[in-house]
Amino acid sequence: LQISDSVSALRRFLDGQEMDAGQLDEVEVLLGSVQRLARKHKVHPSQLSELKSDLEMQLNAMTHGAG
């Protein structure tokens, strides 16, 4: 529900901006990607950056801690 509210707010904002159709399509594709990643990892989109950092630390620990 919060994601759809955010999407709606972003679309309203973008409607007020001067963008060509290609730029708008690119933003919508990126926004869709963020939403899919958040759903896949069961986190809020705002938590994706923190999740990425956590996963990088885990990977680093596995690759460098195993030697």
Side-chain angles (χ1 to χ4, degrees):
L1 215 44
Q2 293 174 346
I3 293 173
S4 63
D5 292 340
S6 298
V7 169
S8 297
L10 181 58
R11 286 198 174 126
R12 282 192 304 275
F13 170 77
L14 291 174
D15 286 343
Q17 303 300 308
E18 291 188 28
M19 295 182 117
D20 65 33
Q23 288 174 313
L24 183 57
D25 287 343
E26 186 176 335
V27 168
E28 288 182 346
V29 167
L30 290 171
L31 186 56
S33 296
V34 167
Q35 291 172 333
R36 280 189 297 283
L37 277 172
R39 279 193 304 270
K40 177 181 177 179
H41 294 285
K42 298 178 178 142
V43 298
H44 190 271
S46 65
Q47 296 171 308
L48 286 172
S49 180
E50 182 180 342
L51 175 64
K52 177 184 176 277
S53 296
D54 291 346
L55 292 173
E56 286 173 338
M57 286 191 308
Q58 290 176 22
L59 178 60
N60 189 34
M62 287 189 290
T63 57
H64 294 101

